[in-house]
Amino acid sequence: MIRSIDTLLVPIPTIREHKLACTVMREQVLVLVHIQTEDGFAGWGEATTIGGLSYAEESPHSIKTNIDTYFTPLLLKEQPSSTAKAMQLLSLHITGNRFAKCAIETALLDIEGQRLGIPVSELLGGRVRDAIEVAWTLASGDTATDIAEAKEMVAQKRHRIFKLKIGSNPILDDVAHVLAIKKAVPECRISVDVNQAWTELEAMQGISLLEAGGVDLIEQPISMRNRAGLKRLKDRFDVAIMADEIVQDPQNAFHLASEHCADVFAVKINQAGGLKAACLIGQMAHLAGIELYGGTMLEGPIGTAASVHVFATYPSLNFDTEMFGPLLLTEDILVRPLDYNNFGLTVPTGAGLGIEVDTDKVYYYAKRSNITLPTMSQPNAKSGKFATES
């Protein structure tokens, strides 16, 4: 039985400004869910989004409010006997709230994996890869800074795939910025993320120039509402066109796949509504002949670990991932950081998510966010993590 569910807002500064077409980030507010059971297990989930309400319809504060007000009372009252029944219960009574549902499902799967002694990836069908390659986003906004950063990443064997955030400047300025970086690191794969900033006509101009300059991937160049336009761009250009914001829950992804609106799907566990939903989207894309890319909402290490458990199960992942969120933060909330090495990230092998959260640090940062929290009590006997008064 579920003993308690705590939802924590944990703000952590970023190592530098992270500029997108829709916002500029200087800190990331992690939304963490901590579920404890009567038999002594503790699971963690994450529902992090980008830039408050500038990117998605759920914000850190709305996620916490909805989980505390609607999700928690329902789960504590009904006490579903499995993760699947819990998610069915939430779907029956709560509309939308994909990010919040993802966090709850992640924490429950973490507990389920711990109880069975197996990694979450095995609960999702089984991993076919033990490590994933990770792209790095160059988002300082300055060409010389981005080139220096890219070269340093390659030299350190941290990243050799780079994504550039564009769309907030005139098209020719953005293209010049991207192509200068491509020229400086010609051996590296370069993609751009427009974050829906262009009109369809602007996209035709921008993509034509980027394709001629050797850019490898164009992510969500136009509005997510213009599905037909995205397909027209995919059919017009040889460079791969990737759908991102437009890829949401499995039903939405099914229509995109059936109409083959993009060459590549960026799959994000929060945007999909959970780990199992993200697996389903990956399966549909694979069956439709659409390539896959492991996307991020710039989650911290909990959401990142959950994501790589999903991506490790994909039959193909030819466009790799961008699971660099923890590397963008100035603080780590795990006892042992995730294992980034040789241009990639090792998929955790321990039971559940395979990570150990530094509970003291999480609650310390959460208290600094001025959110009222439960009172801390003694460490849980089985998990070694702190329990809370419910």
Side-chain angles (χ1 to χ4, degrees):
M1 292 181 64
I2 297 173
R3 176 174 178 262
S4 63
I5 303 173
D6 299 326
T7 312
L8 314 173
L9 299 186
V10 183
I12 300 179
T14 57
I15 59 174
R16 56 153 165 78
E17 285 190 346
H18 190 74
K19 296 182 179 181
L20 299 85
C22 57
T23 189
V24 177
M25 292 177 54
R26 297 174 181 86
E27 75 170 8
Q28 179 62 297
V29 181
L30 309 181
V31 186
L32 305 183
V33 171
H34 187 197
I35 298 181
Q36 296 178 92
T37 65
E38 293 291 356
D39 58 345
F41 290 94
W44 288 89
E46 184 175 343
T48 297
T49 183
I50 296 173
L53 285 170
S54 62
Y55 183 88
E57 68 273 15
E58 293 177 69
S59 72
H61 293 84
S62 72
I63 292 168
K64 175 175 169 56
T65 297
N66 288 338
I67 291 177
D68 290 347
T69 306
Y70 298 100
F71 288 64
T72 296
L74 180 62
L75 291 169
L76 292 178
K77 177 185 176 184
E78 297 296 331
Q79 291 293 341
S81 59
S82 69
T83 302
K85 288 182 179 179
M87 299 315 295
Q88 184 180 53
L89 177 71
L90 294 178
S91 295
L92 179 64
H93 291 278
I94 298 173
T95 302
N97 286 272
R98 290 172 286 126
F99 288 64
K101 287 175 179 176
C102 179
I104 295 290
E105 184 188 50
T106 300
L108 292 174
L109 286 172
D110 187 19
I111 291 170
E112 190 174 328
Q114 291 175 49
R115 185 174 283 125
L116 295 172
I118 60 175
V120 164
S121 57
E122 301 311 299
L123 297 174
L124 300 173
R127 69 181 66 190
V128 296
R129 56 185 61 82
D130 296 316
I132 57 172
E133 184 140 354
V134 177
W136 177 256
T137 294
L138 300 169
S140 74
D142 179 78
T143 303
T145 299
D146 283 351
I147 289 174
E149 190 173 298
K151 289 183 175 181
E152 181 180 0
M153 293 294 180
V154 174
Q156 294 177 358
K157 288 194 172 184
R158 276 184 51 182
H159 306 278
R160 57 187 174 188
I161 306 169
F162 297 103
K163 183 163 83 170
L164 287 87
K165 296 286 188 178
I166 63 173
S168 59
N169 301 311
I171 292 175
L172 294 181
D173 290 350
D174 272 342
V175 168
H177 171 67
V178 173
L179 297 188
I181 294 171
K182 178 65 178 179
K183 185 177 179 180
V185 285
E187 74 282 6
C188 295
R189 193 192 313 166
I190 301 293
S191 65
V192 299
D193 185 1
V194 191
N195 283 129
Q196 311 180 71
W198 288 341
T199 67
E200 191 172 341
L201 285 175
E202 289 172 336
M204 289 181 187
Q205 179 190 10
I207 294 172
S208 178
L209 294 170
L210 292 167
E211 181 179 74
V215 170
D216 301 278
L217 180 67
I218 312 292
E219 180 175 350
Q220 198 66 54
I222 61 175
S223 171
M224 59 183 287
R225 296 178 179 85
N226 190 358
R227 188 167 73 192
L230 192 66
K231 178 173 172 54
R232 285 191 290 269
L233 294 173
K234 188 269 293 182
D235 292 339
R236 183 184 181 99
F237 294 101
D238 291 330
V239 63
I241 304 295
M242 182 160 73
D244 177 18
E245 287 90 347
I246 197 173
V247 181
Q248 296 180 0
D249 59 30
Q251 184 70 38
N252 161 270
F254 171 78
H255 292 298
L256 294 171
S258 63
E259 297 171 19
H260 216 285
C261 291
D263 300 298
V264 187
F265 279 1
V267 184
K268 301 173 178 178
I269 61 169
N270 279 292
Q271 198 157 273
L275 279 64
K276 292 183 179 179
C279 286
L280 182 56
I281 292 173
Q283 292 165 3
M284 284 191 292
H286 181 68
L287 291 172
I290 295 170
E291 300 288 355
L292 289 165
Y293 178 90
T296 181
M297 294 299 297
L298 298 178
E299 293 98 342
I302 297 172
T304 297
S307 297
V308 299
H309 278 288
V310 171
F311 303 147
T313 70
Y314 283 175
S316 63
L317 195 61
N318 290 333
F319 279 83
D320 302 297
T321 78
E322 57 173 307
M323 303 312 302
F324 67 90
L327 301 176
L328 193 62
L329 304 178
T330 57
E331 293 285 345
D332 201 319
I333 59 170
L334 300 186
V335 174
R336 290 177 298 279
L338 295 174
D339 182 17
Y340 287 92
N341 68 86
N342 196 29
F343 302 111
L345 172 59
T346 302
V347 183
T349 57
L353 292 176
I355 58 177
E356 183 180 355
V357 175
D358 188 333
T359 310
D360 288 339
K361 184 178 285 189
V362 166
Y363 277 85
Y364 169 75
Y365 276 104
K367 286 177 180 176
R368 291 180 59 188
S369 72
N370 296 319
I371 299 297
T372 302
L373 296 170
T375 303
M376 295 294 293
S377 66
Q378 295 303 310
N380 182 294
K382 280 196 176 183
S383 68
K385 303 177 177 69
F386 278 84
T388 54
E389 301 283 350
S390 56

